[in-house]
């Protein structure tokens, strides 16, 4: 899986380090990471279902790995065993 890393051209080392520590994912990449269809994430984003955090960058949705990991942790605590 290739993450959306566009910081190769940044001259700000702190920003580059932050982006390396918390990679960004496109909706398709985020869906693959979560094991879902990208259309599912699009539906959740439009309806607000599950409150999965994402950011708008023009017409694109960007998901931060840390947000996806937090969401996964929260979901694992709410499932019936």
């Amino acid at each position: 899986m290739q993450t959306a890393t566009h910081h190769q051209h940044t001259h700000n080392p702190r920003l580059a380090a932050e982006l390396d520590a918390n990679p960004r994912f496109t909706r398709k990449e985020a869906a693959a990471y979560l094991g879902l269809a990208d259309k599912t994430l699009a539906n959740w984003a439009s309806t607000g279902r599950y409150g999965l955090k994402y950011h708008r960058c023009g017409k694109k949705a960007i998901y931060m790995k840390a947000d996806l990991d937090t969401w996964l942790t929260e979901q694992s605590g709410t499932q019936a065993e």
Side-chain angles (χ1 to χ4, degrees), residues 47-64:
T47 63
R49 187 172 187 184
Y50 296 114
L52 183 57
K53 188 175 177 181
Y54 70 98
H55 306 274
R56 278 274 176 216
C57 186
K59 292 185 178 184
K60 294 188 179 223
I62 302 296
Y63 295 80
M64 304 301 287

Side-chain angles (χ1 to χ4, degrees), residues 2-12 15-16 19-20 22-26 29 57 60-62:
Q2 183 179 0
T3 58
T5 54
H6 302 290
H7 64 276
Q8 290 87 353
H9 302 292
T10 185
H11 297 288
N12 183 333
L15 176 59
L19 291 174
D20 285 339
N22 190 10
R24 297 169 291 170
F25 293 90
T26 63
E29 293 166 339
C57 186
K60 294 188 179 223
I62 302 296

Side-chain angles (χ1 to χ4, degrees), residues 29-50:
E29 293 166 339
Y33 183 75
L34 297 174
L36 302 168
D38 56 328
K39 289 183 179 183
T40 299
L41 287 187
N43 186 351
W44 290 359
S46 68
T47 63
R49 187 172 187 184
Y50 296 114

